[in-house]
Amino acid sequence: MINPVVQLSSEVAVLIYNYEAQRDGMTFKMNCTEVYRLNSAYQWKITHTHWSFFQPAHA
């Protein structure tokens, strides 16, 4: 997990971060967003996750 940032309200939290994995000699860079909701048992549960490949800025 690289550069995690959390935005928090009373019942919802949004986590964004970058992820890097290596497989078969290749490096994969991903962006991730996860949305959590606090349930009635006061447990944070993921309600939505989104992954996308990192796109470098073009000059």
Side-chain angles (χ1 to χ4, degrees), residues 33-54:
T33 303
E34 295 183 326
V35 179
Y36 293 78
R37 178 147 193 208
L38 187 62
N39 67 17
S40 59
Y42 297 101
Q43 298 171 324
W44 289 100
K45 299 291 184 173
I46 294 176
T47 60
H48 180 77
T49 299
H50 178 80
W51 291 78
S52 61
F53 285 103
F54 174 77

Side-chain angles (χ1 to χ4, degrees), residues 4-33:
V5 175
V6 175
Q7 297 175 355
L8 182 64
S9 71
S10 60
E11 295 180 7
V12 175
V14 178
L15 168 64
I16 59 172
Y17 61 93
N18 303 107
Y19 182 79
E20 188 172 299
Q22 296 169 354
R23 182 176 177 186
D24 299 329
M26 297 176 63
T27 299
F28 298 92
K29 295 182 180 182
M30 305 290 290
N31 297 318
C32 180
T33 303

